Amino acid sequence: MKIFKYIALACMSLGLCACESYLDVGVPKDEVASGLAFSDDKVATASVTGVYARMNQLNYQFANVLSMVLPAMEADEFAYAAQYAAYDEYKNNAVLPSNQFLGTLWSQPYQYIAQANMCLEGLEASTAISPQVKSQLIGEAKFLRAFCYFYLVNNFGAVPLILGTNVSENNVKGRTPEDEVYTAIIDDLKDAKAKLFDGYPSGTDVDATGERIRPNKGAATALLARTYLYAGKPDLAEIEATEVINNPLYKLLPTTAMDDVFLKNSEEAIWQIQAVNTAGGRNTWEGFLIIPANLETGTALFRLIPNYLYDAFESGDERHEHWVGKITTAAGVTHKYPYKYKARFGVTPVAEYTMVLRLGEQYLIRAEARYNQGKYAEAEDDINTVRQRAGLSLLSLGNDADAVREAVEQERRVELFAEWGHRWYDLRRWPSVNGTAGKTRADDILPALKPGWQSNAIYLPLPQEATMSNPNL
């Protein structure tokens, strides 16, 4: 499906190449050719969907590799196989404001937020777009804005909340408290859910059966479930996750199809980012970076950490068999690496897209939400659903709250590893179980792996360029 046919036109009309400051959250309104960008359904659709291509056009971007490898190294999942100062800062949880990747984690979400804000203003003002297309596109723009703020607030804590296109105000805005950012994310997702359709859009057909590469009502519901969980609203998280789980569009693939979970348009996929730079048969940037060039004699650049993720899987766990790769050196040393994506290069037609939201996470969101409400038996049911798919025996934990909590943590660890920083965000948001007030699970676990660990490392510093360009940060 060619959803990006009008991208170049839309991007030019929105002035997206203009960068006047490091926090580039918009261009002056007189530079936005709104009559061109929102003059009909096709061009308006391209104005919104163009952001998906920008997200995945190049390697080492916020929306692909960086949101996989950097938080995994901040946590206890895997590390780079060689010494590289920029990576080592994340591995050691000692990231400097000058880190070469830090600016991308900050600036790119704000660029996508800028496009969402401009599109929202243009869509609301346009009278040339059909009502259904307008509803879908407003929903997508609000979903994208919420998605970007979710990662900004979890990486940096309090961040500027930019909801308009006034550059003079935006470029000097200070940091907004986390709870206010979460409120804005929830508001956007509730509105997106109300405006999006059940199907997956294809061009201007907003309720189609297209590829799962544009957000639909299910995607907004799934991200809302996660956001409610992170925001300490487990009852609401349970409701939203249940809605996704009961949606017939989605199902967990069976144990015999573990290798198919991350294929494009997998039935488990709720939202994926389409592969757009496929030269030489490249599929995902994650697969291109992580998978060794030679599966027999190559070198794994990112290796699971021994005594941590390396050894976290139970015997017989099919996730270890299918989602962890193994390379044995000539000296007989085996290295393990993430292998959820199977296509590195030379695979045509494209078989894999970057997975962003999937059904397995929704079961674990609901399990944690139920645990937080004291619904231990129901939480156990969700945990066992995920375990059963992985080929493991079912648990029988009764009303043992500690055992249920440990099971939630374990299943999230081995189900969601190497996906969008789940393990890192879990460690930084969960309270310590050692009885120390104000500490997190990161404080419980990481000091043994990282002798220089400090509790304030649960937040990244703001990039040097950002604080230099905006003193109010």
Side-chain angles (χ1 to χ4, degrees):
M1 181 180 64
K2 302 295 185 182
I3 70 168
F4 303 127
K5 181 178 178 181
Y6 295 88
I7 288 173
L9 175 61
C11 287
M12 286 188 292
S13 69
L14 287 169
L16 291 175
C17 295
C19 283
E20 295 187 355
S21 75
Y22 195 76
L23 181 56
D24 182 19
V25 296
V27 296
K29 291 184 180 180
D30 60 3
E31 290 183 27
V32 180
S34 58
L36 176 62
F38 305 102
S39 58
D40 61 42
D41 286 354
K42 286 186 177 181
V43 178
T45 297
S47 297
V48 175
T49 60
V51 70
Y52 309 131
R54 296 183 69 214
M55 281 180 163
N56 212 28
Q57 184 177 10
L58 301 173
N59 201 354
Y60 288 93
Q61 304 298 291
F62 151 72
N64 50 50
V65 164
L66 293 187
S67 287
M68 173 188 178
V69 302
L70 299 182
M73 290 190 288
E74 288 181 274
D76 56 353
E77 293 191 315
F78 55 82
Y80 192 57
Q83 286 190 330
Y84 180 43
Y87 279 151
D88 289 346
E89 291 177 19
Y90 291 88
K91 179 184 71 175
N92 297 324
N93 298 91
V95 180
L96 298 175
S98 58
N99 184 276
Q100 71 181 78
F101 300 123
L102 189 65
T104 302
L105 290 179
W106 173 270
S107 65
Q108 284 190 347
Y110 274 115
Q111 291 167 13
Y112 307 145
I113 290 166
Q115 184 168 352
N117 289 340
M118 289 187 285
C119 285
L120 286 168
E121 290 191 4
L123 289 164
E124 294 286 2
S126 176
T127 59
I129 309 170
S130 64
Q132 282 195 320
V133 170
K134 178 181 283 194
S135 178
Q136 172 69 28
L137 295 181
I138 289 174
E140 288 190 61
K142 291 202 168 186
F143 173 92
L144 286 168
R145 186 167 69 181
F147 175 78
C148 291
Y149 273 122
F150 179 88
Y151 285 95
L152 284 167
V153 77
N154 277 283
N155 282 326
F156 298 100
V159 295
L161 183 62
I162 307 295
L163 302 177
T165 60
N166 188 314
V167 176
S168 61
E169 293 179 3
N170 293 344
N171 286 339
V172 294
K173 191 159 188 178
R175 301 172 78 168
T176 304
E178 286 187 59
D179 59 345
E180 293 182 31
V181 178
Y182 270 110
T183 296
I185 294 170
I186 290 168
D187 288 345
D188 269 352
L189 290 173
K190 288 168 66 176
D191 199 25
K193 181 181 173 182
K195 287 181 166 59
L196 294 169
F197 292 82
D198 293 323
Y200 283 93
S202 177
T204 58
D205 186 350
V206 296
D207 200 13
T209 54
E211 295 193 290
R212 301 183 178 203
I213 54 177
R214 287 173 60 187
N216 67 341
K217 190 183 296 291
T221 308
L223 187 55
L224 184 57
R226 186 201 293 176
T227 304
Y228 276 140
L229 184 70
Y230 277 46
K233 302 177 186 293
D235 54 333
L236 298 177
E238 180 184 5
I239 291 170
E240 300 299 327
T242 298
E243 184 175 330
V244 179
I245 290 167
N246 291 340
N247 188 327
L249 279 175
Y250 312 115
K251 70 177 184 179
L252 287 182
L253 297 185
T255 309
T256 54
M258 296 288 284
D259 287 336
D260 298 338
V261 171
F262 292 85
L263 295 180
K264 66 178 184 180
N265 305 311
S266 154
E267 287 184 286
E268 189 165 331
I270 300 171
W271 180 46
Q272 297 175 306
I273 300 178
Q274 185 181 28
V276 295
N277 191 335
T278 58
R282 180 171 44 239
N283 285 213
T284 66
W285 288 110
E286 293 85 350
F288 180 71
L289 176 69
I290 296 290
I291 300 171
N294 187 312
L295 292 177
E296 298 298 327
T297 61
T299 298
L301 293 178
F302 293 89
R303 299 171 183 170
L304 274 57
I305 300 174
N307 301 320
Y308 289 86
L309 181 57
Y310 188 100
D311 302 300
F313 296 88
E314 296 174 50
S315 176
D317 193 329
E318 293 294 329
R319 291 169 294 200
H320 182 270
E321 179 65 25
H322 292 273
W323 294 352
V324 175
K326 306 174 187 68
I327 288 285
T328 302
T329 68
V333 178
T334 297
H335 299 292
K336 300 181 182 180
Y337 58 91
Y339 195 41
K340 288 181 170 179
Y341 298 101
K342 312 298 184 187
R344 183 183 183 274
F345 209 67
V347 178
T348 55
V350 169
E352 295 174 340
Y353 293 157
T354 294
M355 183 76 78
V356 187
L357 298 170
R358 65 182 179 91
L359 186 60
E361 183 200 356
Q362 295 298 305
Y363 279 99
L364 295 175
I365 286 173
R366 192 169 71 173
E368 184 179 342
R370 287 172 163 176
Y371 159 75
N372 286 335
Q373 297 173 82
K375 300 178 180 179
Y376 301 139
E378 292 169 271
E380 183 183 275
D381 288 343
D382 286 330
I383 294 167
N384 280 335
T385 297
V386 177
R387 287 178 61 84
Q388 187 172 39
R389 193 272 289 273
L392 296 175
S393 60
L394 303 186
L395 300 176
S396 182
L397 305 174
N399 288 320
D400 188 334
D402 288 340
V404 176
R405 180 197 60 75
E406 290 171 3
V408 168
E409 180 173 332
Q410 168 65 10
E411 290 310 310
R412 287 187 63 86
R413 184 181 191 185
V414 294
E415 176 72 22
L416 302 175
F417 75 94
E419 292 182 54
W420 286 91
H422 285 291
R423 173 64 172 171
W424 170 241
Y425 300 137
D426 287 348
L427 292 180
R428 65 171 299 278
R429 70 186 174 87
W430 287 334
S432 168
V433 300
N434 294 337
T436 305
K439 297 294 185 179
T440 67
R441 282 296 281 153
D443 292 302
D444 296 343
I445 292 170
L446 296 184
L449 175 63
K450 308 177 185 198
W453 167 259
Q454 296 184 36
S455 294
N456 63 1
I458 60 172
Y459 294 106
L460 291 172
L462 298 194
Q464 178 176 299
E465 296 95 330
T467 55
M468 290 178 65
S469 65
N470 179 3
N472 292 326
L473 293 177

